[in-house]
Amino acid sequence: MRIRTRHLLLLAGLASAALIIGAACGSDDKKTPSGGKSPVAGNTTVAAGKYQYVLTDAPSDAAPPEDQKLTVNLRGEPDSIDPQKSNFADNISVEHLLFAGLLTFDDDLEVVPLVATEVPTIANGGISADGLTYTFKLRSDAKWSDGKPVTAADFEFAIKRLFDPLVGVYYASFFTDIVGAAEVYAAVDATPAEIDALEAKIGVTAVDDTTLKIVLSQSVATFLQRMALHAVYPTREDVVTANPDDWTEPGKIVTNGPYTLKEWVHQDHITIEANPNFFLGEPVLQEITFIQQTDTNVALASYKAGELDTSQVPPAAVKDVR
């Protein structure tokens, strides 16, 4: 698949996930409360601007917590929800709800901080004068779903892992301007020991628990935008190494985003639930179930039967639906 096409799919995935995460079920019909505008997310502003990452303050007419559930159609089984392996919108739509990166995009697709305390600039010392060194300061209140703190080492591990030929490297080419990354990316015939040695030379360093330094081989004008993509979401080394082949399964995975993985019945559905340890606050929307129905006619029938909260409309049914 061409990189441009993959990037459009990524943006579509992020957009769909953002729509889901911003929703809260109304008291009677699971729709946005009367008035036509989505409720504001209270204390969850990521940065100055309009973007609200997750709704944590329920509007006055919201349904009780036990009814805060949404069922949508993912239209297929994700081949992975491992951020460093994924490349399709259905995978990324789920990951965007499970993980939180250093940066994200606001409603105008401007880069804003998420786990980072601010967007690095030359003025605030986050970018060196030659444009080659980026320093990210992390929030101290970010936690994993098991309560452990999110540290710069988690981002260092994830970014270096992205270039490992044994992992998948679908989006690694977006980041080969990092010092040493291109060498690992090209080492397709290297042994695991040789890969480890090459990864050690990659210009990504956890200076301390809340400081991450990245050194580039050349200045890249869009580097901050790339750092908001799913491929550099953090992953915990102890979790991945304990179960390298299936660490993303329920009971094994840990997440740092607004949701955790509750259930994954392969070829049937995925259910995620609100993460009480999410640093912006526990989401109002308590549970989201993604069914995996590839037939849009069947999905529409499920919607009409009240089994789905949203549905695409197949072309043959457009007239009747209208």
Side-chain angles (χ1 to χ4, degrees):
M1 180 177 292
R2 294 177 184 271
I3 289 178
R4 176 177 172 82
T5 305
R6 287 207 313 247
H7 197 71
L8 290 174
L9 285 174
L10 168 66
L11 292 178
L14 294 179
S16 62
L19 288 173
I20 290 171
I21 202 170
C25 299
S27 57
D28 54 355
D29 62 359
K30 298 185 179 182
K31 295 181 179 178
T32 301
S34 59
K37 295 183 179 179
S38 297
V40 176
N43 63 341
T44 64
T45 303
V46 171
K50 297 181 290 184
Y51 185 74
Q52 305 286 344
Y53 190 63
V54 60
L55 188 69
T56 59
D57 295 335
S60 60
D61 60 349
E66 62 268 21
D67 292 332
Q68 290 291 340
K69 298 179 180 181
L70 187 70
T71 303
V72 297
N73 186 17
L74 200 58
R75 297 192 297 159
E77 168 87 353
D79 54 7
S80 176
I81 55 171
D82 181 331
Q84 280 78 61
K85 288 185 176 182
S86 299
N87 67 325
F88 289 113
D90 51 0
N91 310 8
I92 299 163
S93 293
V94 178
E95 291 165 8
H96 186 57
L97 301 174
L98 297 175
F99 297 95
L102 290 167
L103 307 173
T104 188
F105 296 102
D106 66 11
D107 293 338
D108 298 317
L109 292 182
E110 296 293 332
V111 174
V112 293
L114 190 51
V115 176
T117 59
E118 59 184 355
V119 176
T121 64
I122 292 178
N124 64 24
I127 303 176
S128 60
D130 61 7
L132 297 180
T133 302
Y134 287 71
T135 302
F136 295 88
K137 299 298 293 185
L138 277 62
R139 302 173 62 119
S140 59
D141 58 348
K143 294 181 179 180
W144 291 98
S145 51
D146 63 0
K148 293 185 177 181
V150 176
T151 69
D154 300 325
F155 286 95
E156 178 185 356
F157 173 73
I159 296 171
K160 289 183 174 180
R161 179 174 179 262
L162 176 66
F163 304 106
D164 188 336
L166 300 178
V167 172
V169 300
Y170 286 114
Y171 272 79
S173 61
F174 281 55
F175 301 92
T176 50
D177 294 304
I178 296 174
V179 166
E183 288 76 8
V184 185
Y185 183 59
V188 293
D189 296 321
T191 66
E194 290 171 334
I195 292 172
D196 288 344
L198 288 170
E199 285 184 351
K201 298 177 182 179
I202 293 176
V204 180
T205 306
V207 178
D208 54 43
D209 283 350
T210 58
T211 308
L212 181 74
K213 184 172 72 173
I214 300 177
V215 181
L216 305 183
S217 57
Q218 61 181 354
S219 180
V220 180
T222 59
F223 184 69
L224 289 174
Q225 285 77 8
R226 300 179 194 191
M227 286 300 296
L229 301 180
H230 73 285
V232 288
Y233 286 168
T235 46
R236 274 249 302 275
E237 183 173 10
D238 62 319
V239 173
V240 174
T241 55
N243 297 283
D245 297 324
D246 61 353
W247 72 272
T248 56
E249 291 294 316
K252 299 176 182 178
I253 190 173
V254 295
T255 65
N256 74 317
Y259 289 87
T260 62
L261 184 62
K262 177 180 180 181
E263 186 177 40
W264 189 352
V265 179
H266 290 277
Q267 306 301 328
D268 189 80
H269 71 275
I270 292 174
T271 300
I272 61 177
E273 61 184 353
N275 177 11
N277 285 323
F278 185 50
F279 59 86
L280 295 182
E282 183 176 345
V284 172
L285 189 58
Q286 291 292 295
E287 187 174 284
I288 304 171
T289 297
F290 299 90
I291 70 165
Q292 297 165 18
Q293 178 54 253
T294 58
D295 189 326
T296 53
N297 291 289
V298 175
L300 181 59
S302 297
Y303 172 79
K304 291 178 178 179
E307 298 167 356
L308 268 178
D309 293 307
T310 66
S311 177
Q312 285 196 321
V313 179
V318 169
K319 183 177 179 180
D320 290 340
V321 169
R322 281 177 174 168

